[in-house]
Structure formats: C-alpha cells, structure tokens
Amino acid sequence: MAAQAARPVVPVRTVDVTGSRCPMTFVRVKVALDGLAPGEVLELVLLEGEQMQDVPKNLKDEGHRVLAVVRKGPKYHLLVRKGEP
Amino acid sequence: MIRDGHAPGRGGPAAQAPPGEGRGAEPDYKALKAGGMVRQRQKDRFTVRLKCPGGRVPLERLARIAEVARRYGGQYVHLSFRQSIEIPYVALEDLDRVRRELAEAGQEIATCGARVRVPTACSGCEYNPNGLTDTQKMAADVAARFFGRGPFAHKFKMSFSGCPIDCARTSENDLGFQGAVEPRWDESACTACGLCAAACREGAIELAAGTNKPRYRRDKCLFCGDCIRACPVDAWQAQRTGWMVRVGGKHGRHPIVGARIAAMLPDANVSGLIEAVISWYEKNAAGKGRIRLGALLQDPAAWRRFLADIGPVLGEWAAPDPAPPRPCEIHF
Ligand code: SF4
Ligand code: SF4
Ligand code: SF4
C-alpha cells in the first residue's frame, strides 16, 4: 500500500457487489470495468468468502491490477486499475 | 429396457459387403479378439467402445464416428463413464468393417479385460483457468505408450486431473495423477495487501498482526495456486509444479481410495513410474487370481514391498511413510 502514498488514486466510481451471487458478481464486475477506459480506476466492494476467493484472481487473469485493498469487517474495498484490452 | 435401439434394415451387411464378405462367408473376428467390443444382452449385438484418451475427440473423427454409427449402430451413441464414445447395436458380422472404417479416420477401438485401459483426464490447463498441469498431453502420451498392455491379473486404470478439485477422481484409479503447484513467497515484493489470505480457501495463509504480511501454513496447503493467481504483485510464485500421485484406487463392488505416494512429480518422471508400477503389478499379482492392484496392496507386507520397490523410482518426490490404500465399503 506504499504505492498509493506517492500519488493518491482516485476511483472513477464505486461498485458494491456484496449483494450479488455468482454468476451475477462476475457480470456486474465486468460491466463496471467495461465502462472504464484503460488506466482508469474502479473502487470495487467485495464480500469475504467466495467473492474474495474468486474475483481478485479473475481480475488478474484478465489483465487488471489491484492497487490497494482496505478491509472493513467482512467487506473488502479494492482499487482496481483497468488493464489494456 | 430398450430393445429397439437398432434400426432394422439399415446398413445390413449383405447390402454393404464387398464380394466374398457377405453373410455366407465366415466373418473375420480379429476385431472381436482385439477387445473394445462389448457383448450386449441382445443376441449377436455388440457395443463398440472407442479409444478417446482424456475424452478428447477431434471433429473430423467425430464426423466419421457419427457416419459409422448411423450405418452400423443404433439410434444414438453413448458416452461411457470413462469418457469413451460407445456405438451400441453393432451386429457381430459388421464388427470388422466398423473397425476398418473408423481406422481410416484415425479412430481406434478401446480395450476391455485385464489390460491397461484408456486413460481419462479433465480438460486441464489449456482453457480451464484452474488447470495447473497439461492433463490432455499426458493422457495422449500415456495412451500412446501403455494402452492395451497386458493381460494382467485384472484391469489397470489411470486418470489425470489438472488441479486439486480433481474432476478426474484420481483416488479411484489404479494410478491417478493430480496437478499441483507449490507456492513460494517473496517477502521483498509483498505489499501486505492481504488478498492472498482472503483468496486461500484452506486457511493456509494467515496475516501477521501488525505487519499484515502472510504466514504460510504448509500443513494446510492443498497446492492449488490460488494465492499465486490472486497476488497483484507476483509476490507468490510457483516454486514447483507437478503431480500428486495416488495408487491403488478403484470403484466397483468394493471401492478403494487410492493412497498418495508422491508429491510434485515432474511430467518427465510420469511414464517411468507407470512402467515401474505396471511391472510390479504384473509380477506380484501373478498366481493370485483376478485381483486389482489396490486389493493386493491391502496386505501390509505387500504394501511395504511395493514402497521399497517403487521408492527408488519416486526419488525425492516420494511421500514420507504413506498409509496403504483404504477400503471404502458402500454396501454394508
Ligand atoms: S480438475 Fe481442476 S483443471 Fe481439471 S477440470 Fe476440474 S477444475 Fe478444471
Ligand atoms: S496454494 Fe492454494 S491452498 Fe496453498 S496457500 Fe495458496 S491458495 Fe492456499
Ligand atoms: S496478495 Fe501478494 S502482496 Fe498481497 S499480501 Fe499476499 S503476497 Fe503480499
């Protein structure tokens, strides 16, 4: 989390998918990222358990980058920078 | 009970047969003897089981299979539990023609009886994101080297799974290979974000109070690689990738859960191990009747001898002091 201290990252928008279940979680994350330009940042709110087990690795598989993580109880706030298509 | 799967009158041998091979001539039963033709409850009808290692069938071959099934078989094909396409309702006198017409398209027949069967495999790492190892390549390789070997005391089955989810049920095979990856943590790259701990389904990564840095609990790790896939800065890397090897599993009337005898075995060592286990089985089951490897290994003395004989082939990948395969009774 040292990286964000140098230059604060400002998310374009926040999407909370903690109320969704597979496969809607996947769809909502995809739609949210589709609405961003490469390099822009999304704040994504995920629930511990299945969402945190699946979503971060899928983001990485698809070339996006998690810049920072803040945990608030069972919820995780991820700053995700959209990758090049 | 379905008795009308065969469409009568279609593709009758008399209509198709070249001169000299009609109904009157003695049919050539070479195909029958080679195996893979399973007698049906319907008189003189056979199910032809095709060799489809890992359940993969190229489209050109699939088209030929459909043609042959339409000409000689019933109204459907069936997918066997071990990933073979089966063509039911083939008449005895058509078996050799079926074999030849499939062979023209490169499609071989499976085997049956006390031999090395066609290996099964999951789709593996080519398009499945969970896949850690190339199950399809191994299944093709192993089929090419070992398929049909025997006869032994009983059948010999192998399977390949690409990750610990183990879709190919490696503990239910005489020899099962399940893909695994051993993770290694590089502290200098870690930003202490905590994603890996949240991604691990096994509780094998704990975060240290204060620093929030991961602490790896090897005893809980399943070697699935989720931490490697989740870490945004590649602080988790693959140290070793290979196969968890299980031996002596079977299903059937008296199922046995295979025992893990090796971890992280590299691709290059797989066929050497198969060769050693098959030879051991051949030698040690001789004179004991129709017995599967797992049943043989229930005897503590046989298990000790097996580990002593196979140990040198497993080398540094041998599991320390493994317990023998476990019976798993389902009928009592
Ligand atoms: S065993 Fe793993 S890699 Fe193979 S199909 Fe199942 S989930 Fe995919
Ligand atoms: S390999 Fe899998 S089980 Fe082992 S620590 Fe990583 S995520 Fe957890
Ligand atoms: S995910 Fe990577 S960077 Fe984050 S805590 Fe785990 S090892 Fe460190």
Side-chain angles (χ1 to χ4, degrees), chain A residues 1-20:
Chain A
M1 274 179 273
Q4 68 194 18
R7 187 162 45 90
V9 180
V10 185
V12 175
R13 71 173 71 93
T14 299
V15 173
D16 184 330
V17 297
T18 55
S20 303

Side-chain angles (χ1 to χ4, degrees), chain B residues 24-78:
Chain B
E26 173 71 6
D28 179 358
Y29 293 130
K30 263 209 307 289
L32 193 56
K33 287 182 204 133
M37 316 285 186
V38 188
R39 197 177 61 82
Q40 294 187 188
R41 62 202 309 164
Q42 292 83 1
K43 184 173 165 4
D44 288 347
R45 297 285 169 193
F46 286 78
T47 297
V48 178
R49 184 179 293 160
L50 306 185
K51 179 181 169 191
C52 311
R56 189 155 288 185
V57 184
L59 295 181
E60 321 83 75
R61 270 167 38 198
L62 186 61
R64 173 61 67 96
I65 292 165
E67 255 172 59
V68 169
R70 198 172 283 134
R71 197 170 308 143
Y72 299 106
Q75 291 166 5
Y76 51 80
V77 295
H78 180 80

Side-chain angles (χ1 to χ4, degrees), chain B residues 249-289:
Chain B
K250 67 185 274 294
H251 42 258
R253 290 172 184 246
H254 300 283
I256 297 176
V257 182
R260 203 183 87 185
I261 51 167
M264 304 294 165
L265 190 78
D267 281 2
N269 298 48
V270 167
S271 50
L273 174 61
I274 296 173
E275 186 66 58
V277 172
I278 290 176
S279 313
W280 193 93
Y281 177 48
E282 189 168 22
K283 198 158 86 211
N284 288 273
K288 296 197 170 63

Side-chain angles (χ1 to χ4, degrees), chain B residues 122-124 128 130-132 161-168:
Chain B
C122 75
S123 55
N128 186 319
N130 291 324
L132 301 169
S161 281
C163 80
I165 295 172
D166 199 15
C167 296

Side-chain angles (χ1 to χ4, degrees), chain B residues 308-328:
Chain B
D309 292 347
I310 300 298
V313 185
L314 294 176
E316 61 180 283
W317 296 280
D321 197 19
R326 262 193 345 273
C328 166

Side-chain angles (χ1 to χ4, degrees), chain B residues 185 189-197 207 212 214 230-233 235-236:
Chain B
W185 181 60
C190 176
T191 63
C193 73
L195 276 191
C196 54
L207 296 175
N212 209 45
C231 178
V233 294
W236 285 104

Side-chain angles (χ1 to χ4, degrees), chain A residues 57-58 61, chain B residues 56 121-137 160-168 177-182 222-226 228-229 238 240-243 267:
Chain A
K57 65 185 185 189
N58 293 344
D61 280 349
Chain B
R56 189 155 288 185
C122 75
S123 55
C125 61
E126 185 188 330
Y127 56 87
N128 186 319
N130 291 324
L132 301 169
T133 44
D134 196 344
T135 53
Q136 288 292 321
K137 183 188 90 174
F160 294 86
S161 281
C163 80
I165 295 172
D166 199 15
C167 296
F177 297 85
Q178 173 237 300
V181 62
E182 186 179 317
L222 273 192
F223 309 103
C224 67
D226 280 353
I228 300 170
R229 288 175 61 201
R240 295 192 292 171
T241 301
W243 304 94
D267 281 2

Side-chain angles (χ1 to χ4, degrees), chain A residues 20-42:
Chain A
S20 303
R21 296 180 64 174
C22 177
M24 282 318 289
T25 309
F26 168 81
V27 173
R28 292 192 59 203
V29 171
K30 182 179 158 47
V31 168
L33 282 162
D34 282 351
L36 262 59
E40 286 186 328
V41 173
L42 173 76

